[in-house]
Amino acid sequence: MVTYELKSNTSVTSRGGSGGEENSLMRERDNAHLQRMGKKPVLKRNFGILSILGFSCTILGTWEGLLGTFTGPLTNGGSGGAIYAYLFGWVGCFANFMVLSELASMAPTAGGQYHWAAMLAPAKLQKFLSFVTGWFAVLGWQSAFAACAFLTGKMIQGAAILGNNLYNALPWQGTLIIWGSLILALTINLLGGNLLPRLEAVLLVVHILGFFGIIIPLVYMADHNTKEQVFLSFQNGGGFATQGLSWFVGMTACAFAFGGGDAAVHMSEEVANASTVIPNALMISVGINGSLGFGMILVMMFCTDSDLGGKLGSITGYNFMGIFMEATNSVPGSLAMCAIVITIYVCSLMGLLAAASRQLWSFSRDRGVPGWRWWSQISSTRQLPIFAILLTVTVATLLSLINIGSHTAMEDIVSMAVAGIYLSYLMVSILLFYRRVRGDISRYNDNEDDIINVPGAKLVWGPFHCPGLIGTAINGYAIIYISIVIFFSFWPSTMDPTVETMNWSVLAIGGSAFLAIIYYIVRARHVYKGPIVEVSL
């Protein structure tokens, strides 16, 4: 194993300019912390608390995600069912984010879940469990980026139909729009520097103000349902055996609105004071997004008719566009409201590309994927994993070709993204629960110089930690919630699905996992040892 002698020098020679001195100290402290986890600092720390909070909030995009998947909870659950499903998802998401925050504080690396699995798993299983967790995260994030690009392209086509009812939206045109969105995201990511962090800070403002730009016209102009219609109306549109089963199937759309919480984690090596800032950003984002999402779902339930946007909602492919039109009775007004949602979707692609490529780069750095020598390279001039970025865009570009042949198959990519990411959450949540029950994790000490939180090294809590019985209970609830989400994410939306309406994501996830295990047996077990210790303190 190759190691690098990389000592941290915390002395500051310049006494002038307290701001520069403070930044220098913070960078060296961050690098020293990363070295304690065995990793060589190679990325530039451009993100601060505000920019990474904007990054986390816009990728989570809860109220925007609810608009994009509005039909699911209503078809299976109804108005009341959708509201209670959202609250269930919000509480579950809070527990899940608490676990992710604790782990990110322990080991703030770009690898995230596979690194955590390796450091928490028993010695005999750490290599295999880490590899499987890493592949679930790779599948989930690559699918999530492709799925967001698909939803963005489809949404732009829907807005075009809203503005011109003579427009004939063809699948190949949607694919070209997807490619255009991917090129924009690629350009912003390759420019590097402070551009993306500054953009994310601006997007945080757009994310919050855009919410009010939509709900205010809806509340003021739309006809309102009664509170009984909103809170006491339930529906079993999928024809399931019980209303409860229908509710659980519809609930997965709310889980999708909270998906991608680990995005900020994969940017850890580019964030100043990551062990504290990343957990704070995660918990603040679940508070902000949960509140905005709850407000949006209440407004939509009070302002929509039983036809869910009517014919226009069906033609555009998004019910919220029809609801906007019914409320405002104005094409320009509806398009302006749609433009807010589309802008955030387009810009979230930039953050998604950054997170997905960093996760792929980190897993390649530890030799977990074929061709790891290529994808693990860092540009010496831009300090970016350019090959990993290009590969992520290429995968999304190829997956978007599915849209030409099958719109339904492309929608299964969304379910595949949810399943892959949540499976990686489940793995690390179980392992953390196992370790905390055993009492294997010691208190945090920033003054020690030992390697920590890597396979075979001492486990140490980070600065962010929920101690005692409360932390254990939250961890246990997160496991239960994630298991429910994963199980029902594989269900079709109707009891008797056809070939076209069947949810094939279970086949895609299962097949991909099978191929990953075959690769592990044939090749990866000889080269993948878990997170490589690159530095010697």
Side-chain angles (χ1 to χ4, degrees):
M1 181 182 299
V2 178
T3 61
Y4 300 86
E5 295 289 340
L6 191 60
K7 299 287 185 178
S8 175
N9 179 16
T10 58
S11 63
V12 180
T13 57
S14 174
R15 297 185 181 274
S18 59
E21 181 177 336
E22 183 179 351
N23 291 336
S24 177
L25 283 171
M26 183 175 293
R27 282 194 298 270
E28 294 197 12
R29 185 173 66 247
D30 290 332
N31 290 340
H33 193 193
L34 185 61
Q35 291 171 51
R36 290 185 69 191
M37 293 176 290
K39 291 302 179 185
K40 180 182 178 182
V42 293
L43 301 178
K44 190 174 182 179
R45 296 184 183 270
N46 292 316
F47 283 83
I49 179 61
L50 185 61
S51 54
I52 200 63
L53 177 60
F55 183 91
S56 182
C57 281
T58 52
I59 287 186
L60 202 59
T62 303
W63 69 263
E64 300 93 337
L66 283 172
L67 291 179
T69 58
F70 187 64
T71 307
L74 285 180
T75 302
N76 289 302
S79 178
I83 292 173
Y84 305 128
Y86 180 85
L87 292 175
F88 175 72
W90 191 4
V91 174
C93 179
F94 170 83
N96 181 35
F97 273 46
M98 181 67 75
V99 171
L100 294 178
S101 296
E102 288 185 312
L103 290 167
S105 188
M106 289 176 67
T109 72
Q113 292 93 309
Y114 83 85
H115 183 109
W116 302 334
M119 77 182 190
L120 295 170
K124 293 182 179 179
L125 298 175
Q126 69 88 10
K127 186 168 71 170
F128 178 73
L129 291 181
S130 172
F131 180 82
V132 171
T133 302
W135 266 101
F136 280 140
V138 167
L139 292 173
W141 273 104
Q142 296 296 316
S143 300
F145 179 60
C148 185
F150 161 68
L151 293 174
T152 301
K154 182 183 174 186
M155 201 173 289
I156 293 173
Q157 277 195 304
I161 295 172
L162 177 62
N164 181 6
N165 56 12
L166 297 179
Y167 170 59
N168 181 25
L170 299 175
W172 66 267
Q173 295 171 340
T175 298
L176 290 179
I177 295 173
I178 293 172
W179 289 354
S181 302
L182 292 175
I183 291 172
L184 176 61
L186 176 63
T187 302
I188 297 297
N189 272 263
L190 290 182
L191 288 177
N194 291 318
L195 179 60
L196 184 59
R198 289 173 179 172
L199 180 62
E200 294 297 339
V202 173
L203 282 177
L204 177 60
V205 178
V206 176
H207 173 67
I208 296 174
L209 294 183
F211 166 80
F212 293 102
I214 288 177
I215 67 165
I216 291 174
L218 282 177
V219 171
Y220 181 75
M221 304 181 72
D223 295 329
H224 296 164
N225 297 320
T226 65
K227 60 181 182 296
E228 289 79 15
Q229 289 175 310
V230 172
F231 293 103
L232 301 178
S233 174
F234 298 90
Q235 185 175 339
N236 185 357
F240 292 96
T242 64
Q243 181 64 51
L245 183 59
S246 176
W247 181 84
F248 274 110
V249 173
M251 181 270 301
T252 56
C254 296
F256 172 74
F258 281 110
D262 59 311
V265 171
H266 302 301
M267 306 300 293
S268 293
E269 295 176 38
E270 298 168 65
V271 176
N273 196 17
S275 61
T276 300
V277 167
I278 294 294
N280 289 339
L282 290 179
M283 298 312 297
I284 294 172
S285 67
V286 77
I288 293 175
N289 275 34
S291 301
L292 296 181
F294 187 60
M296 181 59 71
I297 199 168
L298 283 179
V299 168
M300 293 296 284
M301 294 308 167
F302 271 104
C303 297
T304 184
D305 295 328
S306 58
D307 63 354
L308 301 179
K311 184 178 180 181
L312 184 58
S314 176
I315 294 175
T316 60
Y318 286 96
N319 297 90
F320 75 85
M321 293 185 180
I323 295 170
F324 289 173
M325 186 62 190
E326 289 179 351
T328 63
N329 197 29
S330 166
V331 172
S334 300
L335 286 175
M337 295 165 70
C338 291
I340 296 173
V341 183
I342 292 173
T343 298
I344 297 175
Y345 264 82
V346 171
C347 293
S348 69
L349 275 176
M350 304 168 191
L352 277 167
L353 175 56
S357 62
R358 297 325 186 261
Q359 194 278 332
L360 175 64
W361 162 74
S362 184
F363 200 36
S364 301
R365 172 177 60 176
D366 291 316
R367 307 174 185 178
V369 296
W372 56 267
R373 288 183 178 86
W374 283 90
W375 323 130
S376 61
Q377 293 184 31
I378 293 290
S379 169
S380 58
T381 55
R382 297 187 180 277
Q383 293 181 282
L384 291 171
I386 290 180
F387 286 115
I389 293 173
L390 292 174
L391 178 60
T392 301
V393 172
T394 301
V395 170
T397 300
L398 295 176
L399 286 176
S400 67
L401 293 173
I402 298 175
N403 182 55
I404 299 176
S406 174
H407 175 79
T408 304
M410 197 65 206
E411 288 182 340
D412 288 340
I413 301 295
V414 178
S415 296
M416 185 175 172
V418 173
I421 292 175
Y422 274 86
L423 279 167
S424 68
Y425 294 166
L426 179 62
M427 190 74 74
V428 296
S429 297
I430 292 174
L431 291 173
L432 180 63
F433 187 81
Y434 164 75
R435 287 293 192 175
R436 78 192 309 158
V437 168
R438 284 169 49 95
D440 293 338
I441 309 176
S442 61
R443 295 176 63 87
Y444 175 75
N445 187 347
D446 195 32
N447 296 322
E448 296 180 3
D449 292 326
D450 298 333
I451 293 289
I452 59 171
N453 295 334
V454 295
K458 181 172 66 173
L459 294 174
V460 179
W461 288 114
F464 184 95
H465 170 46
C466 186
L469 185 60
I470 296 177
T472 304
I474 291 175
N475 196 161
Y477 182 77
I479 293 172
I480 295 172
Y481 169 72
I482 296 169
S483 299
I484 292 173
V485 170
I486 293 171
F487 178 72
F488 285 101
S489 71
F490 295 131
W491 282 57
S493 58
T494 59
M495 189 64 184
D496 298 308
T498 63
V499 174
E500 289 77 18
T501 60
M502 180 62 186
N503 185 347
W504 297 104
S505 62
V506 64
L507 179 62
I509 283 287
S512 300
F514 175 76
L515 292 175
I517 292 174
I518 293 298
Y519 171 68
Y520 177 81
I521 294 172
V522 174
R523 173 62 179 168
R525 65 190 177 94
H526 301 295
V527 295
Y528 182 75
K529 307 299 180 184
I532 297 173
V533 177
E534 299 176 330
V535 302
S536 176
L537 295 179

